[in-house]
C-alpha cells in the first residue's frame, strides 16, 4: 500500500514538473505581448524588473539574480542605457564594476508595463483561491531547493546531456 502511494506521489510530481516548460513558454510569450509598443524585449524587461525590485546592482549581480550570463545582461543594460532607462553610478565595492540603477524614465516605463501585466494577471488571480496560490508557491520553492545542486554558474554553463 505504501509503495503504491509513493509511486502515485512521484507520478503526480512528475506530471507537475512536465508542466513547467509549457507554462514558462506561455508566460514568456504573454510578457512579450505586453511589451508591444515599448521597444523592449523580454531580456531588457527582466533587467528593469530586477532593478525595480532590488535597487541598484552591478551587471554580474543582475546576471546571478536572473541566472543568466553577464554578457547577455550587459547587452540589455547597454540597450537600456542608450534609451535613458537606466544609469551607471560609481560602485564603492568595486572600482571597475558600475552600479546600474533605474532612471525616472525607467521607473515610469516599468510601472506602465507592470500595470498592463497586472491587469492580465488579475483575470487569472480571480480564478484561483489564495490558499492554492500559496500552496503552489511552496511547491515551486521546494522544487527549486531540491534541484539547487544542478544549478551552474550562468557565466560558465555546463552543457546539458
Amino acid at each position: 500500500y505504501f509503495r503504491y502511494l509513493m509511486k502515485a506521489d512521484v507520478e503526480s510530481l512528475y506530471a507537475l514538473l512536465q508542466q513547467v516548460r509549457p507554462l514558462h513558454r506561455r508566460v514568456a510569450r504573454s510578457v512579450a505581448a505586453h511589451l508591444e509598443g515599448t521597444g523592449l524585449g523580454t531580456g531588457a524587461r527582466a533587467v528593469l524588473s530586477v532593478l525595480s525590485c532590488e535597487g541598484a546592482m552591478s551587471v554580474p549581480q543582475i546576471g546571478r539574480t536572473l541566472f543568466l550570463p553577464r554578457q547577455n545582461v550587459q547587452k540589455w543594460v547597454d540597450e537600456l542605457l542608450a534609451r535613458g532607462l537606466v544609469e551607471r553610478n560609481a560602485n564603492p565595492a568595486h572600482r571597475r564594476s558600475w552600479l546600474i540603477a533605474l532612471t525616472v524614465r525607467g521607473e515610469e516605463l516599468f510601472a506602465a508595463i507592470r500595470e498592463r501585466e497586472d491587469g492580465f494577471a488579475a483575470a487569472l488571480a480571480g480564478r484561483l483561491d489564495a490558499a492554492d496560490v500559496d500552496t503552489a508557491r511552496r511547491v515551486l520553492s521546494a522544487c527549486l531547493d531540491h534541484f539547487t545542486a544542478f544549478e551552474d554558474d550562468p557565466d560558465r554553463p555546463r552543457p546539458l546531456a
Side-chain angles (χ1 to χ4, degrees):
Y1 176 74
F2 176 73
R3 182 175 261 165
Y4 171 78
L5 282 180
M6 194 165 102
K7 182 168 175 46
D9 291 345
V10 169
E11 291 299 321
S12 182
L13 178 61
Y14 185 80
L16 172 70
L17 293 174
Q18 291 303 305
Q19 292 182 303
V20 171
R21 183 178 297 275
L23 175 61
H24 177 265
R25 289 176 53 83
R26 290 176 188 180
V27 170
R29 287 189 176 126
S30 171
V31 168
H34 288 97
L35 291 172
E36 283 185 26
T38 67
L40 295 178
T42 56
R45 184 244 178 254
V47 171
L48 292 178
S49 177
V50 167
L51 295 175
S52 178
C53 293
E54 303 295 331
M57 299 175 84
S58 68
V59 168
Q61 288 172 321
I62 297 168
R64 284 190 295 275
T65 300
L66 293 172
F67 299 97
L68 293 170
R70 69 178 183 281
Q71 293 86 348
N72 293 40
V73 174
Q74 186 64 61
K75 180 182 71 167
W76 297 319
V77 166
D78 290 345
E79 171 191 334
L80 295 168
L81 280 165
R83 294 192 53 192
L85 300 173
V86 299
E87 61 189 9
R88 292 189 307 195
N89 298 310
N91 183 348
H94 197 287
R95 241 182 20 200
R96 290 180 26 182
S97 182
W98 298 96
L99 289 177
I100 308 302
L102 292 177
T103 61
V104 171
R105 279 185 58 209
E107 289 174 5
E108 291 171 350
L109 178 60
F110 187 67
I113 291 167
R114 274 303 305 266
E115 190 173 323
R116 285 187 201 180
E117 293 171 348
D118 290 353
F120 184 75
L124 176 58
R127 296 173 42 199
L128 302 171
D129 182 273
D132 289 341
V133 173
D134 288 341
T135 298
R137 287 183 62 195
R138 283 195 309 278
V139 168
L140 290 174
S141 291
C143 290
L144 285 169
D145 289 345
H146 181 77
F147 291 105
T148 296
F150 297 95
E151 184 60 51
D152 58 2
D153 181 345
D155 290 319
R156 291 178 211 75
R158 296 174 295 194
L160 295 174

